[in-house]
Amino acid sequence: MRAAVIGAGLSGLSAAFGLLKETRKRGFSLELRVFEKKERAGGTISSRREEGYLLESGPNGFLDSKPSTLELAEDLRLSGELIATAAPAARRYIYTGGKLHPVPSRPQEFLAGGLVSPAGKLRMALEFFVRARRDYGDESVASFVRRRLGSEALEKLIGPMVSGIYAGDPDALSIMAAFPRMRQLEREYGSLLAAMARIGRGGGPPGKLTSFAGGMERLVTALEAALPSGIEKNATVSVLRRRGARWELALGGGTWEADAVVFAVPAYNLKTLFPPLSGLCGRIGYAPINVFYAGFDTSGTAGAPDGFGFLATRQAGLRALGAVFSSNIFAGRAPDGRRLVTVMSGGVMDPGAADRPETDVAGDSGKALEAALGIKTAPEFTRLARHRAAIPQYPVGFPAEREAAERTLAAEKGLFLAGNAFYGVGVNDCTKRGAEAAALAAGYLAGRE
Ligand SMILES: Cc1cc2nc3c(=O)[nH]c(=O)nc-3n(C[C@H](O)[C@H](O)[C@H](O)COP(=O)(O)OP(=O)(O)OC[C@H]3O[C@@H](n4cnc5c(N)ncnc54)[C@H](O)[C@@H]3O)c2cc1C
């Protein structure tokens, strides 16, 4: 049997690794080829060392509260290289109204804190009495939050969270796709506050942010090393055609036929690769992100808080989404006596961000660090990484459209879908769906053996 994986980002690599594992388990041999358009594997993930700093241009880590990435690390014998955030680094902040506010992790902290005004708090408390929507219909994140918690909660709590995860616009993003758990809690408990009281949890995300001593790219290099036939790089699959019971892939230098194909490419690439899904793919927008690294002598950042980092509200007036205190979160991210802060800017609200001159991005990042953290000294080390199309944006109605896309693919036989364009943007989502797509493809191939 032959299988192809198109795209060697984390989703495609997880699917390829899963395919080998599943077919070995089921006792049949597989000829597997993984095609990657660029000269390197990893897609969004890249970790590089410069002047003693470890620069992550994509994810900083993943939460250890979901199993898929940890299991993958274990399969790859990487468990000994895992590192987790220290407790003091868990503190997160929101910058609004010219001030940095700690994100409350318990109800008492929320009530005592000044992030939300007394009127805003009262409105949030009234959530308990807001009539619940028990149906499975979708709406935007903003509409859901305004309806249940009020506008101030949207501006100061959920809006920054949308920036932090999606660099997105709450008015355009689907609640069912972006934060399905919130709608589920409304349906099941009638109110988010009632759900928190019953489940006993509020505040920040569960679990510890986890990475590898050498950075997130360690997962990519280990996956690549675990694929006996390797990854074919600079290999863009341009067209896919049905050939009897197989699929023919057209590549620059020729064609190859596979019994099963896993797509693990961004929506804007899938659009041309598999036109029956072009309608949905065309409606998935992407946010640009600039990642600006600033390295300081620690004496220059005295007074700046410890913790994980901060997110800015849209109304805060910064041309930055927020910053991550990279060297606080994990050891080995900056040389001794130095501190690394990574400022993210762009997002769907700043669509031209990826084309801004580097000096402008550096200037605005410096202003953000001064306003939020009081850092007045110029960094002694700077670098900039850009993503033109960083994070997919799930439009309202997306879950139903994804189901329709899955039906279209199922009717075609032999085509399987993975990737952050469809199954969640987190590292854990990508590894989970990669493994699922592999299991589905292996089951299909086993049936044809
Ligand atoms: C700045 C930033 C910070 C992030 N931070 C976090 C974080 O802290 N935690 C977290 O959990 N997640 C984070 N994420 C999200 C997470 O990193 C991504 O969702 C994930 O890495 C996407 O993996 P993927 O394989 O689905 O897609 P991609 O990485 O986009 O990979 C797709 C691959 O397909 C290839 N390709 C496209 N078309 C073709 C073709 N026709 N033929 C062959 N190959 C093709 C591309 O070249 C690419 O390599 C972050 C993302 C960004 C951008």
Side-chain angles (χ1 to χ4, degrees):
M1 286 283 130
R2 287 171 161 200
V5 173
I6 310 180
L10 183 59
S11 300
L13 291 174
S14 304
F17 183 73
L19 263 167
L20 291 178
K21 199 173 142 182
E22 290 283 339
T23 48
R24 220 174 287 135
K25 210 159 64 183
R26 290 164 190 264
F28 65 92
S29 68
L30 181 74
E31 193 183 341
L32 173 69
R33 291 179 74 180
V34 182
F35 300 105
E36 168 53 49
K37 179 176 158 168
K38 299 208 175 120
E39 67 295 341
R40 61 173 288 280
T44 298
I45 300 178
S46 144
S47 320
R48 61 180 206 280
R49 269 227 183 263
E50 281 194 49
E51 298 183 22
Y53 290 97
L54 182 74
L55 310 178
E56 296 281 16
S57 80
N60 283 285
F62 58 92
L63 292 173
D64 68 356
S65 47
K66 291 184 179 169
S68 56
T69 312
L70 288 177
E71 281 169 12
L72 185 59
E74 201 175 312
D75 283 347
L76 294 164
R77 298 181 200 289
L78 291 181
S79 302
E81 296 179 39
L82 287 169
I83 51 172
T85 44
R91 184 50 100 190
R92 289 159 193 258
Y93 297 88
I94 297 204
Y95 179 74
T96 184
K99 274 176 70 182
L100 208 58
H101 298 265
V103 174
S105 56
R106 284 170 302 153
Q108 304 89 299
E109 272 178 34
F110 173 70
L111 290 172
L115 174 59
V116 177
S117 72
K121 286 176 190 165
L122 181 64
R123 172 62 187 84
M124 287 175 72
L126 293 175
E127 195 268 345
F128 195 77
F129 304 102
V130 175
R131 198 147 65 88
R133 255 187 87 174
R134 304 277 183 180
D135 63 87
Y136 286 80
D138 202 2
E139 66 191 302
S140 72
V141 171
S143 140
F144 173 85
V145 178
R146 277 193 205 103
R147 180 166 67 72
R148 295 224 58 89
L149 296 161
S151 317
E152 203 174 332
L154 175 64
E155 178 194 328
K156 295 180 178 167
L157 295 170
I158 307 297
M161 194 161 106
V162 166
S163 291
I165 301 174
Y166 293 95
D169 175 4
D171 277 297
L173 210 53
S174 148
I175 186 83
M176 292 286 272
F179 302 108
R181 180 94 175 121
M182 288 199 200
R183 275 288 278 122
Q184 189 194 348
L185 292 178
E186 178 187 31
R187 264 196 317 274
E188 285 178 14
Y189 295 88
S191 125
L192 302 178
L193 291 182
M196 269 169 64
R198 291 275 293 282
I199 302 166
R201 203 184 67 75
K208 276 191 185 153
L209 193 76
T210 303
S211 182
F212 300 90
M216 284 300 291
E217 195 166 335
R218 182 68 185 101
L219 192 53
V220 173
T221 53
L223 279 164
E224 188 168 358
L227 300 176
S229 51
I231 298 163
E232 293 170 54
K233 297 173 186 156
N234 296 309
T236 304
V237 179
S238 51
V239 181
L240 199 74
R241 279 186 220 98
R242 190 32 108 199
R243 284 274 182 259
R246 283 183 156 169
W247 290 95
E248 181 190 84
L249 283 68
L251 295 132
T255 59
W256 192 65
E257 285 185 15
D259 299 282
V261 177
V262 179
F263 295 118
V265 300
Y268 51 85
N269 292 120
L270 187 61
K271 197 169 144 181
T272 47
L273 201 50
F274 190 64
L277 299 189
S278 63
L280 172 58
C281 287
R283 296 205 307 108
I284 301 172
Y286 277 77
I289 294 187
N290 290 324
V291 183
F292 181 76
Y293 310 94
F296 297 91
D297 188 302
T298 40
S299 61
T301 63
D306 278 341
F308 182 90
F310 74 88
L311 288 164
T313 61
R314 202 191 289 176
Q315 294 75 4
L318 303 182
R319 199 155 181 189
L321 300 165
V324 174
F325 307 158
S326 310
S327 54
N328 276 22
I329 304 176
F330 297 122
R333 269 43 182 169
D336 284 347
R338 301 289 185 277
R339 186 168 180 182
L340 178 64
V341 183
T342 308
V343 183
M344 314 282 176
S345 58
V348 289
M349 316 304 280
D350 191 359
D355 295 314
R356 300 187 69 215
E358 181 162 350
T359 45
D360 292 3
V361 177
D364 286 330
S365 300
K367 280 183 202 155
L369 294 181
E370 182 170 352
L373 307 179
I375 299 178
K376 291 191 170 61
T377 37
E380 56 176 33
F381 168 93
T382 64
R383 291 289 183 279
L384 176 64
R386 296 179 192 267
H387 298 273
R388 272 184 187 283
I391 312 259
Q393 308 291 313
Y394 306 131
V396 175
F398 180 78
E401 289 191 74
R402 184 180 63 197
E403 275 177 27
E406 284 170 341
R407 284 195 296 275
T408 305
L409 282 181
E412 295 282 355
K413 303 263 187 289
L415 298 181
F416 303 89
L417 195 54
N420 70 353
F422 299 92
Y423 294 98
V425 303
V427 163
N428 283 328
D429 301 316
C430 295
T431 50
K432 177 170 181 273
R433 178 60 194 180
E436 280 168 4
L440 290 170
Y444 169 78
L445 291 170
R448 290 193 48 192
E449 263 279 292

